[in-house]
């Protein structure tokens, strides 16, 4: 498993940031950042939060609690952007939006509120369950 130092170093390189640039973004010295990257010191919670913001990842990723860099909260809980579940959810969301546009309920590129999307998903799931129950009873 990668250490917090490995994860900081790898993310910094992915973003093409120098130690100096990242240190400035986080508000620490280059020496401190070097110590973190080399696992000579472990950053305090406040610095981990600042590092996660600067490196565009979750604190859980830096701490090694997950191997997914990005996360998002969805109606059904926490899903990670790199996961199959998240991609499936986004595909369903896109299909719903296309259908709403086709039916002239919303205009193209018109934002759909999270509340409206939550209701569509909830009632869509409820309707699907009822349809499957009816088919099963036949």
């Amino acid at each position: 498993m990668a250490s917090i130092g490995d994860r900081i170093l790898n993310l910094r390189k992915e973003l093409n940031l120098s130690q100096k640039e990242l240190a400035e973004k986080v508000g620490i010295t280059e020496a401190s950042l070097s110590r973190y990257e080399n696992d000579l010191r472990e950053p305090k919670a406040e610095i981990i939060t600042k590092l996660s913001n600067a490196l565009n990842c979750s604190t859980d990723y830096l701490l090694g609690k997950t191997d997914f860099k990005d996360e998002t909260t969805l109606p059904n809980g926490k899903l990670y952007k790199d996961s199959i579940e998240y991609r499936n959810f986004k595909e369903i969301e896109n299909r719903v939006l296309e259908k709403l546009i086709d039916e002239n309920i919303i205009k193209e590129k018109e934002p759909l509120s999270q509340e409206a999307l939550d209701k569509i998903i909830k009632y869509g799931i409820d309707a699907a369950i009822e349809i499957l129950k009816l088919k099963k009873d036949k």
Side-chain angles (χ1 to χ4, degrees):
M1 184 170 92
S3 69
I4 190 169
D6 293 334
R7 289 175 185 246
I8 294 168
L9 175 66
N10 292 334
L11 288 168
R12 179 176 61 77
K13 287 183 176 182
E14 281 178 26
L15 294 171
N16 294 316
L17 293 172
S18 68
Q19 277 189 337
K20 181 179 182 176
E21 290 169 324
L22 180 57
E24 286 175 359
K25 281 185 167 196
V26 175
I28 58 176
T29 65
E30 283 181 72
S32 291
L33 180 58
S34 177
R35 287 185 196 104
Y36 301 150
E37 288 184 350
N38 290 299
D39 293 311
L40 299 173
R41 295 249 196 282
E42 192 163 309
K44 293 183 179 182
E46 176 187 352
I47 301 302
I48 291 171
T49 301
K50 289 179 179 182
L51 282 165
S52 75
N53 290 333
L55 295 169
N56 301 318
C57 69
S58 68
T59 54
D60 281 353
Y61 177 78
L62 283 181
L63 293 169
K65 294 173 89 177
T66 181
D67 288 330
F68 299 108
K69 296 175 196 168
D70 300 313
E71 62 183 81
T72 189
T73 302
L74 299 174
N76 61 346
K78 192 182 275 188
L79 292 179
Y80 295 92
K81 288 182 181 176
D82 296 340
S83 72
I84 291 169
E85 292 88 357
Y86 179 79
R87 289 194 301 269
N88 288 344
F89 180 85
K90 291 309 281 182
E91 184 179 333
I92 291 167
E93 181 181 36
N94 289 336
R95 286 184 182 180
V96 166
L97 290 172
E98 285 174 16
K99 186 69 174 170
L100 293 172
I101 291 167
D102 289 347
E103 298 292 327
N104 292 317
I105 295 169
I106 64 171
K107 295 178 182 162
E108 195 162 345
K109 299 187 180 180
E110 181 181 333
L112 187 63
S113 73
Q114 189 63 47
E115 179 185 4
L117 188 58
D118 291 348
K119 285 181 181 178
I120 290 166
I121 291 167
K122 179 194 180 316
Y123 294 121
I125 290 170
D126 291 347
I129 289 168
E130 290 303 315
I131 291 167
L132 292 172
K133 282 181 184 177
L134 289 173
K135 284 185 178 181
K136 189 175 182 180
D137 291 342
K138 286 184 180 181

